[in-house]
Amino acid sequence: MSDSSECESSNPETSQAKLRLPAAATPLVPRAKLLSTVDDHVSSAPVTVLTGPAGCGKTTLLAAWARRRDDDVAWLTLDEHDNDPVRLRAAIRDALALADAIPLTEPGFSSAIIAAFDQPGESRCLVLDNVHEIRDPGALASIDQLMRQPPDRLRLLLLGRFPPPLHLARLHLEGRLREVLPHEFAFDRADTEALLAAHGLHLSPDDVSELLAQTEGWIGGLRFAIMRLAAAEARPGDLLMFAGLDQVVNRYLGEEVLARQPRPVRDLLVATSVCDTVSAELACALTRHASPGVVLDALERTNSFVSRLETAPEWYRCHPVLRAHLSAELRRSRPADEASLHRTAAHWYHRNDEPSVALRHALQAGDDQLTAEIVEHSVLPEVLREGSARLRTVVEAVPGHVLARPQVGVVAALVAMDAGDLATADRMLAALGGEPLELRQDRVRVLHATALLRRGRFDARLGEALRVMARTAAGRGGTDAEVAALLNRGVAAMLSGDHAGAERDLVRATAIARQERFDHAVLDGQVHLATLTSASGDILAAARQAGEALEFAEEKGWQSHFVCALAYTLVGVQAYLRLDDTRAADLASRAVRALGDRPDPATGLAVSTLDAAVSFPTSGDPRAIVGRIRAQWQDVAQRQVIPPVIAHIAPAVQRIALRSGDEQWASAMPDQVEAMFGPCGEQAVLRAVVQTHHARAAQARKLVEPLLSGELPALAAPTVVDGWLLEAVLVDRSGDQRRAHEAVTKALAAAEPVGALRPFYNAGKPVRDLLARGAGRFGRLESFATTTMTALPAASTASTDVLTSRERDLLLELPSMRTTEEIADSLFVSVNTVKTHLRGIYRKLGVNQRRDAVLAARRLGLI
């Protein structure tokens, strides 16, 4: 209706019901923070717009806000009849309690309203509720004019399901508009619990979480759910509304949400309800609608329970309650279309490399052939890209008769093993039957051999699996099969001691994976290449490589994934060797969490061994730690392990056994190490420690002699350090100080490249005394020797506690070559004062000369 048809004499009456504040029919939840936000907006800008979907509580909130403002709020509830411009202007005039002389035509109406509130007097707030009902250009023009030139004493609050088609962008730019957006109305956990309490309901934390997940904080949905929960003893997951079967909720959605939409839009929503999320392209495939993107965008802009994904704005999703209603409507009104829609979605996702979603739709469509095709060709690449997390449950849902197809079952077995589910993997492999070479397709043969190889890592069948793989050409099954085969063959070769073969396969697998963007396979390759580096004895380079792998995992959000457990352990071993106990404990804890309950004996033993070493000293129940780690060592002694990690930590584990009084296990540990690795330096050192523990010095020295001569190789560099330190302590006890100093020097030389301080710490006070006594005689290793000695704990004595502060200052000067006169000058005291303090130091340390004082101070950790 245009103003040209209006006459000034028309003066429609406004119903008093439209001017009253709405009353709340249900208990309210105080929303102090949101009310304060409205206060701030109203005080800082002339226009505030509040938008949200039906039932989000916007009217209830603003009515509560208005009641707090006493009499300065004018309220007007709009409806479709207010699209008559004259009726709308009359209603605004009556809400503001202005004289009937206000003209009801433009531009006189807006000018009169503005003039009325430009006069001195009290300020007013005008709330226009249901402003989304206004569509008439003339009616909108009057509201727009008030917003453009608002008087100082008038604040406008526009309340609706979506912003009206007014000139809001300009107000935004000028800083004269504030908004309360839909997500701000959603209830959080505290609000939900308060609402439940207001209705006398008390749910478990899990049930509250379920209620929030299903309603996403939509107040209307929460109230519907609470009505049902109050009427019957039920849990949120049992409510019919969440299955689209509650008639009251369905009527509400039909009347308040869907009734406003034309039939083609409703049909589009029903058809796309088969998908969790939908894009314009997918919606087009499902509906053949000419412009589904325009429809979805309009639904999102008008807060019609359709929202964009924050992480992918071109994708949309329905609110869970609305989607449940739409899905039920599809089953009721178009039952024959449901399977077809799922099949269409499966094909679309399959073409777009989303196998987990494609497979779910194919299963719901009941299409066995499509299901088999997706598993055979798309699932393995997805595992190599992202891991098995999103695929495991959906693959497990594949019917048994489909899994019986070799090309399906072998992939499903690989997914199960990647997820650590050996029982399912064994069942699927057993169903294949026959020898691998009898399988017809090259791809199936490669994948079957790969699955057997992966399975062999969990028990003693690795050798046989390697022989099967040796007869299978890894590159004949496709790029994804080749990467999987090379990765698993490389890890198996590493566990079997074939380091050259392991490096060749792991490097090639990682390179192909990078090229194909198989990021999860890249991470797997990086971690195992780091492990391979540690096997060569370079723990520093291994820790650096593992750290880079962890950085890559963090970029992908995979830092808690199973494959990271080994990386955390490698970095943790380096921290442990450097005596960085805090960092080592943190990394061990991360490794334990990443490992979870995965049945991987090699990685599990590495993780548990490091964790036991770092947690034993501070544990409240050390015997429990000993029992747990001992059981694991005995369980895997005949299986594949990760040599470098075990070799680096084995001495600490033996010390744990001895400190806990378990001499039997400490004595058996050398045999366990020999069962794992064969004859090696670690075995010799562990045997020598047992002999030393029983005061058999000659036997101990005889055991470590092949290691020290180079005849017996060590798996880990710190093992050589342990051997030389043991030699140093034993020969020092026999009185041969020269050979003891030589042995300590060789220990420092072996430890310095990898920063291994732990062996010196474990050796204790005898080695610290040797370092102190040899100070100044370690040549190029002097700096590392000082660092090592400083890092070791020193025993305190009563005499050191009574050194005065001045004596302590002087003690720090003694290792220097400066004369007494030079020291006195630097301390700003007389020579006699220095001599007096020196006599006190000598007496308290029990020495007679300066050099002996320095040695004693170093032994005690004073310098």
Side-chain angles (χ1 to χ4, degrees):
M1 183 181 296
S2 64
D3 282 2
S4 62
S5 63
E6 300 167 10
C7 61
E8 187 149 343
S9 61
S10 62
N11 190 11
E13 294 184 4
T14 303
S15 168
Q16 290 301 306
K18 292 166 65 72
L19 305 179
R20 285 198 296 266
L21 290 178
T26 57
L28 298 178
V29 172
R31 309 203 71 187
K33 182 178 179 181
L34 201 49
L35 290 171
S36 178
T37 297
V38 177
D39 278 332
D40 293 342
H41 288 351
V42 170
S43 64
S44 62
V47 180
T48 300
V49 178
L50 302 90
T51 54
C56 74
K58 53 188 179 296
T59 298
T60 302
L61 173 86
L62 209 56
W65 171 83
R67 291 187 184 92
R68 300 195 318 171
R69 305 277 298 201
D70 296 327
D71 297 326
D72 71 339
V73 176
W75 189 282
L76 175 58
T77 300
L78 302 172
D79 55 40
E80 60 182 9
H81 299 296
D82 293 306
N83 280 289
D84 179 337
V86 173
R87 183 184 293 274
L88 172 65
R89 294 165 193 153
I92 292 174
R93 178 199 64 191
D94 294 342
L96 292 171
L98 297 175
D100 289 346
I102 296 289
L104 298 182
T105 57
E106 290 291 10
F109 171 77
S110 298
S111 298
I113 296 292
I114 292 170
F117 285 95
D118 272 338
Q119 304 300 320
E122 293 183 0
S123 298
R124 294 282 280 170
C125 297
L126 174 61
V127 176
L128 299 181
D129 192 12
N130 287 342
V131 72
H132 60 271
E133 295 280 5
I134 306 304
R135 298 177 297 278
D136 179 80
L140 290 169
S142 292
I143 300 174
D144 203 28
Q145 189 67 25
L146 289 177
M147 290 194 310
R148 284 191 173 192
Q149 298 176 342
D152 290 339
R153 293 193 302 108
L154 182 63
R155 290 289 190 263
L156 290 176
L157 293 92
L158 308 183
L159 186 63
R161 295 184 182 175
F162 50 86
L166 300 169
H167 295 84
L168 300 179
R170 179 176 178 180
L171 293 177
H172 263 299
L173 181 62
E174 295 171 351
R176 296 193 293 144
L177 182 142
R178 300 290 183 269
E179 286 189 283
V180 178
L181 299 172
H183 72 271
E184 298 182 70
F185 289 101
F187 269 23
D188 60 16
R189 191 178 192 90
D191 294 329
T192 302
E193 290 173 344
L195 184 63
L196 289 165
H199 286 80
L201 292 175
H202 300 282
L203 302 184
S204 70
D206 288 344
D207 283 343
V208 174
S209 297
E210 174 74 9
L211 195 59
L212 272 172
Q214 293 284 2
T215 63
E216 296 183 347
W218 175 44
I219 300 172
L222 286 168
R223 285 177 174 161
F224 278 125
I226 286 172
M227 285 191 294
R228 295 294 184 254
L229 293 171
E233 293 186 4
R235 298 185 63 182
D238 300 327
L239 296 181
L240 294 178
M241 63 179 286
F242 298 138
L245 302 176
D246 188 299
Q247 294 304 313
V248 175
V249 176
N250 288 344
R251 282 199 301 271
Y252 179 86
L253 293 172
E255 295 167 2
E256 297 296 326
V257 180
L258 298 175
R260 297 173 176 270
Q261 307 298 339
R263 182 60 181 267
V265 172
R266 296 199 302 272
D267 289 344
L268 182 145
L269 287 171
V270 169
T272 57
S273 68
V274 298
C275 296
D276 296 335
T277 60
V278 65
S279 65
E281 183 183 347
L282 175 55
C284 183
L286 291 167
T287 66
R288 302 300 179 187
H289 193 287
S291 52
V294 174
V295 173
L296 292 168
D297 180 67
L299 291 169
E300 191 270 339
R301 285 188 291 104
T302 56
N303 292 321
S304 300
F305 288 85
V306 173
S307 58
R308 291 180 187 271
L309 300 188
E310 291 185 5
T311 55
E314 69 277 14
W315 285 79
Y316 301 82
R317 61 186 294 274
C318 271
H319 188 282
V321 177
L322 177 61
R323 185 176 171 224
H325 167 74
L326 295 169
S327 297
E329 178 64 26
L330 174 64
R331 290 190 293 273
R332 282 193 299 266
S333 62
R334 299 161 54 183
D337 292 347
E338 186 175 11
S340 175
L341 288 168
H342 277 299
R343 186 177 296 106
T344 299
H347 280 291
W348 190 91
Y349 278 109
H350 188 30
R351 289 195 305 272
N352 286 275
D353 293 326
E354 290 284 352
S356 60
V357 188
L359 191 55
R360 187 163 61 248
H361 284 292
L363 290 169
Q364 289 177 294
D367 191 326
D368 291 348
Q369 184 57 39
L370 180 56
T371 296
E373 181 183 337
I374 293 170
V375 174
E376 181 182 3
H377 296 292
S378 297
V379 164
L380 182 57
E382 175 72 0
V383 172
L384 297 175
R385 279 194 299 265
E386 301 287 338
S388 61
R390 295 193 300 175
L391 284 162
R392 179 185 177 186
T393 55
V394 67
V395 169
E396 288 177 350
V398 174
H401 64 276
V402 179
L403 289 173
R405 303 182 186 187
Q407 68 270 29
V408 177
V410 70
V411 173
L414 284 169
V415 172
M417 279 186 282
D418 187 80
D421 187 353
L422 296 187
T424 299
D426 286 345
R427 187 170 65 252
M428 292 173 176
L429 288 173
L432 295 179
E435 291 296 323
L437 294 179
E438 294 179 4
L439 299 171
R440 296 179 181 178
Q441 299 178 20
D442 287 340
R443 177 178 175 81
V444 177
R445 282 204 301 273
V446 171
L447 292 179
H448 194 205
T450 301
L452 294 176
L453 194 58
R454 181 69 179 265
R455 184 62 182 85
R457 286 162 54 179
F458 298 99
D459 53 31
R461 294 180 291 178
L462 190 58
E464 175 58 28
L466 277 169
R467 285 189 288 275
V468 169
M469 178 59 80
R471 303 196 302 271
T472 306
R476 297 184 64 180
T479 304
D480 56 335
E482 181 179 13
V483 170
L486 290 172
L487 272 177
N488 283 279
R489 192 170 72 184
V491 174
M494 180 187 70
L495 294 175
S496 300
D498 180 7
H499 293 174
E503 182 176 15
R504 182 177 59 251
D505 285 344
L506 290 173
V507 167
R508 176 161 174 73
T510 305
I512 299 174
R514 281 199 178 94
Q515 182 179 350
E516 298 294 325
R517 297 186 178 179
F518 293 158
D519 289 341
H520 198 267
V522 170
L523 176 62
D524 202 355
Q526 285 180 317
V527 171
H528 284 100
L529 281 170
T531 308
L532 194 60
T533 299
S534 72
S536 68
D538 193 344
I539 190 63
L540 288 180
R544 184 173 62 254
Q545 288 177 266
E548 291 171 355
L550 289 172
E551 289 177 1
F552 179 69
E554 190 168 354
E555 291 175 6
K556 296 291 182 179
W558 297 336
Q559 58 269 37
S560 298
H561 192 275
F562 159 71
V563 75
C564 291
L566 190 51
Y568 285 127
T569 302
L570 290 172
V571 182
V573 166
Q574 186 207 19
Y576 178 77
L577 291 174
R578 289 175 171 268
L579 296 182
D580 189 350
D581 291 342
T582 300
R583 177 164 168 74
D586 175 62
L587 289 163
S589 177
R590 290 170 182 257
V592 169
R593 289 196 299 271
L595 178 66
D597 58 357
R598 296 288 292 250
D600 187 319
T603 302
L605 184 63
V607 171
S608 299
T609 301
L610 175 64
D611 184 54
V614 300
S615 60
F616 180 83
T618 58
S619 172
D621 189 4
R623 287 190 176 275
I625 293 177
V626 172
R628 185 167 60 250
I629 190 64
R630 178 176 183 176
Q632 283 192 291
W633 270 61
Q634 291 175 334
D635 183 52
V636 300
Q638 299 299 324
R639 301 185 186 179
Q640 288 75 32
V641 297
I642 299 172
V645 175
I646 304 304
H648 281 96
I649 308 297
V653 176
Q654 188 182 53
R655 286 176 59 81
I656 288 174
L658 290 173
R659 286 179 58 186
S660 65
D662 194 343
E663 293 188 22
Q664 181 181 8
W665 181 32
S667 299
M669 198 173 293
D671 293 333
Q672 291 177 323
V673 169
E674 183 176 14
M676 294 179 193
F677 313 135
C680 58
E682 284 71 22
Q683 172 202 15
V685 168
L686 294 176
R687 290 193 190 282
V689 168
V690 173
Q691 297 298 322
T692 303
H693 185 70
H694 292 289
R696 300 168 186 154
Q699 292 91 326
R701 291 188 63 198
K702 185 176 181 180
L703 285 168
V704 297
E705 195 281 330
L707 169 67
L708 303 183
S709 67
E711 179 182 343
L712 189 63
L715 298 170
T719 301
V720 179
V721 181
D722 285 321
W724 281 115
L725 291 179
L726 189 61
E727 170 76 359
V729 171
L730 293 176
V731 298
D732 188 56
R733 287 179 185 175
S734 68
D736 193 339
Q737 293 188 1
R738 180 185 63 80
R739 293 183 64 184
H741 177 76
E742 290 176 353
V744 168
T745 302
K746 290 183 177 179
L748 289 169
E752 190 263 346
V754 294
L757 303 178
R758 181 67 58 177
F760 296 88
Y761 179 90
N762 290 341
K765 184 178 181 299
V767 165
R768 194 184 196 286
D769 291 344
L770 288 171
L771 290 170
R773 193 169 68 205
R777 296 188 291 136
F778 291 117
R780 70 170 188 83
L781 297 169
E782 191 66 43
S783 175
F784 182 67
T786 301
T787 299
T788 302
M789 187 178 66
T790 304
L792 305 184
S796 61
T797 65
S799 63
T800 63
D801 295 335
V802 296
L803 286 176
T804 67
S805 60
R806 180 58 74 179
E807 288 171 343
R808 288 179 180 273
D809 291 340
L810 178 57
L811 188 61
L812 296 175
E813 297 285 344
L814 295 186
S816 71
M817 301 299 292
R818 292 193 292 179
T819 65
T820 303
E821 290 76 10
E822 289 171 335
I823 293 175
D825 185 58
S826 67
L827 296 177
F828 301 100
V829 296
S830 68
V831 173
N832 288 334
T833 299
V834 171
K835 291 180 178 180
T836 299
H837 289 321
L838 277 175
R839 287 194 293 273
I841 291 172
Y842 293 165
R843 184 181 72 256
K844 292 173 182 179
L845 295 181
V847 298
N848 297 313
Q849 56 182 338
R850 181 171 173 172
R851 182 176 182 279
D852 291 339
V854 171
L855 290 175
R858 282 176 170 158
R859 290 193 190 98
L860 295 171
L862 299 177
I863 57 175

